[in-house]
Amino acid sequence: MDFQLTDEQQMIQAAARDFARDEIAPIAHEFDASGEFPLETIQRMGELGLMGIEVPESYGGSGLDTIGYTLAMMEVSAADAAHGTIMSVNNSLFCNGILKHGTEDQKQKYVRAIATGDEIGAYALTEPASGSDAANMKSRAVLSDDGSHYVINARKSWITSGPVARYLVLFAMTDPEAGARGVSAFIIDAEKEGFHRGKLEPKLGIRASATCEIELTDYKCPVEDRLGDEGQGFKIAMGVLDAGRIGIAAQAVGIAQAAYEASVEYAKERKAFGQEIGTFQMIQAKLADMKTRLEAARLLTLKAAWAKMKAMETGSRFTLDGSMAKLFASEAAMWITHQAVQIHGGMGYSKEMPVERYFRDAKITEIYEGTSEIQRMVIARTETGLR
Ligand code: CAA
Ligand code: FAD
């Protein structure tokens, strides 16, 4: 057992921290208030290699490992969780799946564009009537008579980066009778006919991350843009989410870290009853519990990243580690940001301090990429075999 980071891991952590502190943190409040998509910083993140951290250099990425990705996600999300969301979709949900299941052409064409940040990627699984029950989708893909393309009719909800994405990995039924085994995955080009974006979703938090509904009407997807085999789509979707959930756990750790640091600073400055509030035992107890949960969340997240790296060598699954990390880190972030607002008193409720944003941003980590209830279900099923 060795908790020492490698030189490469420390390098990406430091690079992400410097960039996040110098270029993201100063604009986070403004973009949260306006809800505008932060295109300029996202493009800069692409130039720095933050949009395809685990993607091999031969496909335009940084060629680093999952721990490096996880550390960078923590740093970016500590400055602004919305940037973290956009980064995680490009890295985990878009590039990972194509790297694992894609053809050489798909990797060259699509992974390169997204890993370099030249284009934005998205992942479209959820539908208006199926979120947690993802296999119960209504979207359909029908193979043309000449076998050259699929005709896809789909309606997908809550698509992160939907308003700006060029390419999406989208899931639709090719065999509706077969349930989860009838789902297939496709790579969609937003510039093709039949692709429509819905209105922007107004959100509680991660407001600079743009979200909308996506509709495909008689969209023609060439067979060579199907990802993996017909009927393998649900397993691809779940495998991608196993990795994605580690990124969301890291996002939660980043938000919680920022809330903890702001609280320590405030506790040392703010005075009540003639002394710094940080000298009151009740405030110290909050800080101690915040720090302990933060470190537990960080460890579980890094352990999951390590488990994914081991699993890549052996071909085994790391579902349990990813779900436990996401469940614990997201609930820790919600609790820690709640305490942070309390420590700041009235100022914790003010838009003039960042803690109210951390509190709003933390909530999404308990919902997307599988709610806490779904993580508990996955953990219990995987660990006990019970259904
Ligand atoms: N890896 C590989 N295969 C998997 C798998 C995994 N992690 N999990 C399940 N499978 C396979 C199963 O082995 C099974 O295969 P067989 O048919 O060969 O037996 C098949 O998939 C079906 O599995 P289940 O019977 O367990 O499926 P289910 O219908 O009961 O659903 C679920 C399982 C865990 C609840 C799943 O539906 C789920 O994860 N729901 C949550 C959806 C979700 O997380 N959505 C996130 C959307 S993306 C997003 O949110 C992005 C963002 O915000 C930025
Ligand atoms: P529902 O499934 O309707 O769940 C409602 C409640 O019931 C929840 O509390 C849930 O935990 C509970 N519940 C459901 N089933 C069970 C059960 N079996 N046992 C116990 N409790 C249960 N999706 C994408 O595909 N791509 C994206 O990029 C994306 N980005 C998102 C961004 C944002 C900001 C948001 C809010 C969502 C995003 N999503 C995305 C969708 C997200 O993954 C879903 O919202 C989430 O999986 C929950 O689905 P739902 O909203 O339909 O809730």
Side-chain angles (χ1 to χ4, degrees), residues 85 89 93 123 125-126 131-132 134-135 160 180-181 234-235 238-239 241-242 245 317 319 368-370 374 377-378 381 387:
T85 302
V89 173
L93 299 190
Y123 176 90
L125 179 67
T126 306
S132 300
T160 295
R181 292 182 180 187
F234 195 70
K235 287 184 181 169
M238 292 297 113
L241 284 170
D242 284 347
R245 287 167 183 164
R317 272 169 56 174
T319 306
Y368 60 16
E369 298 208 23
I374 292 303
M377 187 168 128
V378 171
R381 281 182 178 183
R387 292 285 293 190

Side-chain angles (χ1 to χ4, degrees), residues 313-336:
E313 287 166 19
T314 60
S316 59
R317 272 169 56 174
F318 52 94
T319 306
L320 185 64
D321 297 275
S323 280
M324 290 196 304
K326 187 198 181 260
L327 173 64
F328 188 84
S330 60
E331 293 191 347
M334 203 59 235
W335 190 84
I336 290 166

Side-chain angles (χ1 to χ4, degrees), residues 123-126 131-132 157-160 203 206 211 364 367-371 373 377:
Y123 176 90
L125 179 67
T126 306
S132 300
S157 314
W158 292 109
I159 305 309
T160 295
K203 303 195 298 301
I206 54 159
T211 319
I364 191 58
I367 296 174
Y368 60 16
E369 298 208 23
T371 62
E373 289 77 12
M377 187 168 128

Side-chain angles (χ1 to χ4, degrees), residues 64-120:
L64 299 174
D65 64 17
T66 311
I67 290 181
Y69 166 62
T70 304
L71 295 167
M73 266 297 292
M74 289 175 185
E75 297 299 335
V76 167
S77 302
D80 178 36
H83 279 76
T85 302
I86 302 160
M87 174 177 164
S88 84
V89 173
N90 264 38
N91 277 273
S92 304
L93 299 190
F94 189 91
C95 292
N96 258 342
I98 303 183
L99 278 179
K100 190 161 174 207
H101 303 279
T103 62
E104 183 57 28
D105 280 355
Q106 289 172 342
K107 291 177 198 173
Q108 287 295 353
K109 186 169 173 194
Y110 300 116
V111 171
R112 176 175 293 284
I114 301 303
T116 52
D118 289 346
E119 303 284 359
I120 311 272

Side-chain angles (χ1 to χ4, degrees), residues 213-233:
E213 201 170 88
I214 295 293
E215 204 166 335
L216 302 192
T217 39
D218 293 336
Y219 176 98
K220 285 186 184 165
C221 178
V223 275
E224 54 270 24
D225 285 348
R226 190 188 65 227
L227 180 62
D229 293 336
E230 257 196 28
Q232 286 297 305

